[in-house]
Amino acid sequence: MTKDPIFTAEQVFERTSKYLNKEHVQLVQEAYAFAKKAHEDQYRKSGEPYIIHPVQVAGILADLEMDPATVAAGFLHDVVEDTSVTLEEIENHFHAEVAMLVDGVTKLGKIKYKSQEEQQAENHRKMFVAMAQDIRVILIKLADRLHNMRTLKHLPLEKQRRISNETLEIFAPLAHRLGISKIKWELEDTALRYLNPQQYYRIVNLMKRKRAEREQYLEDVIGEVGERLEEVSIQAELYGRPKHIYSIYRKMVLQHKQFNEIYDLLAVRIIVNSIKDCYAVLGIIHTCWKPMPGRFKDYIAMPKPNMYQSLHTTVIGPKGEPLEVQIRTFDMHRIAEYGVAAHWAYKEGKAIVNKTSFDKKLSWFREILEFQNEAANAEEFMESLKIDLFSDMVFVFTPKGDVIELPAGSVPIDFAYRIHSEIGNKTIGAKVNGKMVTLDYQLQTGDIIDILTSKHSYGPSQDWLKLAQTSQAKNKIRQFFKRQRKEENIEKGRELVEREIRNLDFELKEILTAENIKKVSDKFNFSNEDDMFAAVGYNGIAAIQVANRLTEKERRERDKEEAVKETLKELNSRPRLRRRDAGVTVEGVDNLLIRLSRCCTPVPGDEIVGFITKGRGVSVHRSDCPNISQEQEIRNRLIPVAWETDTCEQKEYNVEIEIYGYDRHGLLNEVLQVVNGTNTTITAVSGRSDRNKRATINLAISIHNINHLQKVVERIKQIPDIYAVKRIMN
């Protein structure tokens, strides 16, 4: 395994100066200076200054030779989300293009949701919509994710697995669809290391054992091929192709193969000057060694959708072992490594992108906007996206020979709507390879599809929604039904929603205000209220979903009032409840047992809230305690509480803090002396260090209030070799 590269800001400037002009390099330098100031005094989980992360993101983008606005946005991508800097400040200091890119990445983490799954889906939806408007948004996000994966070891095990799983599900497939293999392979290998470390290190060790033998074998092959190419005066670069761990793992799992049965462990890549030379080299390779049947692929004549081009062949090489050979030009190699990023190449400050060609190759990306307009919620949007963008693909032909790419499992209906929505609406049948097939026939790679249409067709049937596999086809079918019966559906949908609101026991005039309806239709991504009610009418969205959103605020308030009223009534009716002397009062209630929660150990000065327990009075928590979740049942049992300022200042409260630093001789003793010097009682102490000389010290102390705690923390942070101090919850 190679060590992850670590960039300095100067190295990023030096890298950009090789392909940008002075004015653009200055923009990149100003972005760094701005970000450094904004992130001052911020640290990552690793204990490193936060600015290191934006520098690495900008370095990855500079390695891809991205334009100046993108590299600048790499430095600035976290300032709006994690500091007090506003988007307007970035636009004023730089320009609208940089601000737009930063905004595209920033939008992902600003809203709170009922569940982590909903938040994750909504974040991804926002990212894809921003990305559909400017592809550079996802390139910044990929660079951000790549560096986060490189530093994943500093996070808890559960987060490592969650982030790695998300990387394999979303970001690695995205890098693949954009053709950026340089990033894709590293994301996949790193994710596997955290999701299945046993298999990861097993494959690493197996590769190490045979490395010397493989290297000698490849050296012999390269020498022989090189001699043959010299004879026919073909200039070429030849080297062994590195095999990535995740691809080996997938082949072993999916094809049920052992490590020594993987054919392309041994591979040679040959890079030449022209397409003519590619095919000449292929002929030489097949003359030297016998090709294996079914193992030749011509991605030059038929490029992959992510713009990848190359010739692939597997031959029986020396010693009778299978040998994979890849042949491509230098331009093809650059696109294979950098994908869509290769089209943003800058020379002396000028873009050399062919915008028309570029937009055409990414036309599949524009469909994202259609997905998000039609999806009822973020989860449905992500499911549609995974089917259409991240599933395995089949490649079929029109009768004229044009190649159409569709997700595996697609049927003729999907093909028809991919050609044009009117062809889809007028479809009455399909021929595949000259033979009539049913509309549920699953298309196979290489099929020639001829759609039969009729101008007298009445349009799609409802059953087509079950047959179609692609989101595009389903959306077009739904649009057809919406247009046909819109007025009828609006009236029907409104009636259904009104009925559900009455069932929830609310007055219609109280709920169906213009402001409330607009807010809910916006939440469901409808352009107006008629579209929302029409969607209810044609079963695009359930009436109860709309009614629940319309009454959400009123139901929450009603439930909370009733729950608190009922519980307080029960508590006040209980005789002789003993009040715990915790320095906290509950407004309007006397003779009530009150205790400070041990999970978050609140102290005077913390924002607090009371939680009505069953049979044990009121438990007092910090407002940010993770145990006080947003679930309705818990929210209904929360009541206002306050510190007794007259008495609590004389009391002592237990708090636990965790201290991180460099493990040197005398560090613990120095920490204890500093804490004692603040007249603070230490009730417990423990410590540990790891093999990287990182020390962790846990202290339990007794303090009077939050200001007292802050004073102790500030004194500890002044000790040399202390990285960070944090208050912990049990």
Side-chain angles (χ1 to χ4, degrees):
M1 289 178 294
T2 57
K3 188 174 175 61
D4 296 330
I6 299 176
F7 300 97
T8 63
E10 288 70 26
Q11 287 172 329
V12 178
F13 305 150
E14 184 184 347
R15 183 76 186 85
T16 54
S17 66
K18 291 180 180 176
Y19 68 94
L20 295 178
N21 61 28
K22 289 183 179 179
E23 181 187 346
H24 286 151
V25 173
Q26 187 179 349
L27 172 72
V28 171
Q29 291 171 332
E30 287 175 7
Y32 166 70
F34 190 98
K36 186 178 181 184
K37 185 177 179 182
H39 289 299
E40 206 168 17
D41 298 328
Q42 287 185 336
Y43 295 88
R44 302 197 85 209
K45 295 284 186 185
S46 61
E48 298 173 321
Y50 193 90
I51 189 62
I52 287 177
H53 171 63
V55 170
Q56 303 316 302
V57 172
I60 293 165
L61 293 168
D63 247 6
L64 295 174
E65 294 193 3
M66 294 303 297
D67 62 294
T70 307
V71 180
F75 278 124
L76 298 166
H77 76 279
D78 274 339
V79 295
V80 175
E81 188 170 337
D82 292 338
T83 76
S84 59
V85 173
T86 65
L87 208 58
E88 290 73 22
E89 287 178 72
I90 291 179
E91 187 167 347
N92 292 336
H93 197 89
F94 298 96
H95 50 71
E97 187 180 9
V98 174
M100 178 272 295
L101 293 173
V102 173
D103 186 37
V105 184
T106 302
K107 285 179 180 175
L108 312 184
K110 289 288 185 181
I111 306 171
K112 299 297 180 187
Y113 298 91
K114 285 182 285 189
S115 68
Q116 190 168 333
E117 291 76 14
E118 183 184 353
Q119 180 170 7
Q120 185 184 47
E122 185 63 29
N123 282 348
H124 289 148
R125 185 187 71 80
K126 286 176 180 291
M127 177 179 68
F128 283 111
V129 172
M131 177 178 68
Q133 292 163 352
D134 195 309
I135 198 69
R136 291 173 293 173
V137 170
I138 196 58
L139 296 176
I140 298 168
K141 190 61 187 172
L142 284 173
D144 173 58
R145 176 52 60 109
L146 181 59
H147 182 246
N148 284 335
M149 291 299 291
R150 288 173 178 174
T151 56
L152 208 55
K153 63 185 176 185
H154 300 291
L155 295 182
L157 189 62
E158 183 185 344
K159 275 194 174 182
Q160 289 177 352
R161 294 185 64 81
R162 178 175 60 78
I163 292 170
S164 296
N165 198 51
E166 180 186 56
T167 298
L168 279 184
E169 276 194 359
I170 304 292
F171 292 99
L174 255 180
H176 173 67
R177 286 305 300 253
L178 295 172
I180 314 173
S181 60
K182 185 180 176 70
I183 289 179
K184 177 210 172 194
W185 291 120
E186 187 176 346
L187 288 177
E188 289 181 336
D189 284 359
T190 312
L192 178 64
R193 192 167 82 208
Y194 290 102
L195 289 173
N196 197 337
Q198 186 177 358
Q199 282 293 345
Y200 176 86
Y201 287 109
R202 175 173 171 260
I203 293 170
V204 169
N205 289 330
L206 286 169
M207 290 175 76
K208 277 182 181 175
R209 279 182 211 165
K210 299 213 170 189
R211 177 172 292 169
E213 183 183 326
R214 279 203 315 275
E215 286 177 352
Q216 183 58 52
Y217 180 90
L218 290 172
E219 195 177 312
D220 294 343
V221 169
I222 288 169
E224 186 172 345
V225 173
E227 288 176 10
R228 294 294 188 97
L229 295 183
E230 280 183 22
E231 289 173 7
V232 292
S233 302
I234 293 179
Q235 293 182 336
E237 284 187 10
L238 296 89
Y239 53 86
R241 180 177 68 85
K243 189 62 187 172
H244 296 278
I245 297 163
Y246 182 73
S247 64
I248 296 174
Y249 168 77
R250 271 183 62 83
K251 286 186 178 179
M252 290 171 68
V253 171
L254 297 178
Q255 299 175 18
H256 306 290
K257 290 185 175 181
Q258 294 300 314
F259 180 80
N260 56 8
E261 295 178 300
I262 306 295
Y263 283 154
D264 49 2
L265 277 175
L266 296 172
V268 172
R269 183 171 287 154
I270 304 172
I271 305 179
V272 294
N273 291 318
S274 67
I275 293 176
K276 180 183 72 174
D277 287 347
C278 289
Y279 289 100
V281 171
L282 178 69
I284 290 169
I285 296 296
H286 283 178
T287 303
C288 289
W289 299 290
K290 187 176 181 180
M292 291 180 65
R295 298 283 298 173
F296 170 66
K297 295 183 179 70
D298 187 344
Y299 294 119
I300 293 178
M302 192 182 293
K304 290 185 179 182
N306 61 10
M307 298 166 280
Y308 176 90
Q309 288 185 288
S310 189
L311 295 176
H312 290 196
T313 186
T314 303
V315 296
I316 303 299
K319 302 179 184 177
E321 292 190 37
L323 170 72
E324 186 187 57
V325 182
Q326 294 181 353
I327 311 163
R328 61 180 68 149
T329 67
F330 286 96
D331 285 341
M332 291 174 189
H333 181 62
R334 176 171 170 73
I335 290 173
E337 290 290 299
Y338 299 105
V340 70
H343 290 264
W344 284 98
Y346 263 63
K347 299 296 176 190
E348 290 302 314
K350 292 184 180 179
I352 56 171
V353 64
N354 181 334
K355 196 169 189 316
T356 306
S357 168
F358 180 70
D359 285 344
K360 186 178 178 183
K361 286 173 180 173
L362 286 174
S363 59
W364 56 272
F365 235 51
R366 307 301 176 217
E367 294 170 13
I368 290 170
L369 291 174
E370 283 189 33
F371 299 165
Q372 86 106 14
N373 288 333
E374 294 296 327
N377 52 47
E379 287 93 334
E380 183 182 321
F381 169 76
M382 282 309 299
E383 284 308 309
S384 298
L385 201 68
K386 285 177 184 177
I387 291 170
D388 279 19
L389 298 187
F390 302 151
S391 60
D392 291 333
M393 310 305 288
V394 294
F395 302 92
V396 295
F397 295 90
T398 67
K400 292 182 179 179
D402 295 328
V403 180
I404 302 293
E405 173 199 12
L406 291 165
S410 292
V411 298
I413 294 169
D414 298 299
F415 177 88
Y417 279 103
R418 181 60 58 88
I419 300 298
H420 196 280
S421 56
E422 278 307 302
I423 290 177
N425 290 337
K426 297 295 182 184
T427 295
I428 58 170
K431 285 183 179 180
V432 174
N433 303 326
K435 295 181 180 179
M436 289 293 296
V437 296
T438 57
L439 291 180
D440 62 355
Y441 168 84
Q442 288 196 0
L443 304 179
Q444 306 296 319
T445 293
D447 282 346
I448 301 171
I449 319 298
D450 187 7
I451 297 296
L452 308 178
T453 61
S454 169
K455 61 183 179 181
H456 303 297
S457 167
Y458 289 105
S461 73
Q462 288 282 355
D463 289 340
W464 285 17
L465 286 171
K466 297 175 185 175
L467 295 178
Q469 297 300 306
T470 63
S471 299
Q472 183 189 28
K474 289 180 179 180
N475 290 338
K476 297 293 183 186
I477 295 166
R478 290 192 187 105
Q479 285 172 14
F480 176 86
F481 290 125
K482 279 195 290 184
R483 285 194 302 272
Q484 294 295 304
R485 300 192 293 268
K486 186 164 186 179
E487 292 303 322
E488 178 189 332
N489 284 328
I490 291 171
E491 188 178 342
K492 179 183 174 184
R494 187 179 284 275
E495 287 175 5
L496 290 170
V497 171
E498 287 178 356
R499 184 193 304 166
E500 293 294 347
I501 292 172
R502 288 193 199 96
N503 290 341
L504 293 169
D505 202 21
F506 288 103
E507 291 289 331
L508 293 180
K509 63 181 180 181
E510 177 189 348
I511 301 301
L512 293 177
T513 63
E515 182 184 358
N516 198 20
I517 293 173
K518 184 179 186 313
K519 185 171 74 174
V520 172
S521 64
D522 288 346
K523 277 186 179 178
F524 284 115
N525 296 314
F526 291 108
S527 56
N528 55 56
E529 64 178 87
D530 283 351
D531 285 353
M532 179 177 74
F533 288 124
V536 175
Y538 68 78
N539 295 325
I541 184 172
I544 188 63
Q545 278 183 276
V546 176
N548 280 338
R549 280 294 178 101
L550 286 165
T551 60
E552 190 172 19
K553 182 181 175 184
E554 288 77 8
R555 283 186 296 111
R556 193 187 305 126
E557 289 174 358
R558 183 172 68 182
D559 291 347
K560 185 174 182 179
E561 284 174 13
E562 290 177 359
V564 171
K565 226 181 271 183
E566 190 64 34
T567 311
L568 289 178
K569 181 180 174 184
E570 180 190 345
L571 288 171
N572 279 326
S573 67
R574 292 179 182 171
R576 295 180 300 282
L577 272 175
R578 182 173 58 83
R579 180 190 180 92
R580 175 79 54 89
D581 191 15
V584 175
T585 60
V586 181
E587 187 178 347
V589 182
D590 295 320
N591 194 32
L592 186 62
L593 181 66
I594 300 173
R595 61 189 180 85
L596 298 179
S597 165
R598 290 182 181 177
C599 63
C600 57
T601 59
V603 300
D606 284 331
E607 290 187 15
I608 52 175
V609 65
F611 176 72
I612 301 169
T613 64
K614 295 180 179 177
R616 292 184 293 129
V618 173
S619 172
V620 178
H621 293 258
R622 281 162 50 185
S623 298
D624 60 352
C625 177
N627 290 329
I628 304 300
S629 72
Q630 295 301 306
E631 292 180 18
Q632 188 67 41
E633 184 183 351
I634 289 178
R635 290 206 309 269
N636 288 343
R637 293 166 64 187
L638 299 180
I639 58 172
V641 294
W643 294 105
E644 291 179 334
T645 52
D646 295 337
T647 59
C648 66
E649 294 293 330
Q650 293 131 26
K651 303 177 188 301
E652 287 195 338
Y653 298 82
N654 291 327
V655 170
E656 290 187 40
I657 59 175
E658 196 161 70
I659 304 159
Y660 305 101
Y662 175 70
D663 184 19
R664 60 170 170 81
H665 181 69
L667 181 67
L668 176 59
N669 189 42
E670 200 169 331
V671 169
L672 297 178
Q673 286 179 357
V674 165
V675 175
N676 283 328
T678 62
N679 293 321
T680 303
T681 304
I682 300 173
T683 57
V685 60
S686 64
R688 63 188 182 280
S689 66
D690 58 24
R691 60 185 179 185
N692 296 320
K693 301 288 285 181
R694 187 177 185 228
T696 304
I697 301 169
N698 291 87
L699 287 184
I701 57 178
S702 297
I703 51 102
H704 298 299
N705 53 41
I706 197 73
N707 292 333
H708 184 180
L709 175 62
Q710 190 63 34
K711 178 183 173 184
V712 174
V713 170
E714 288 301 323
R715 291 291 299 277
I716 294 172
K717 285 168 70 176
Q718 292 172 15
I719 299 171
D721 297 321
I722 292 296
Y723 301 150
V725 183
K726 74 172 184 179
R727 181 176 172 186
I728 61 175
M729 297 188 187
N730 295 320

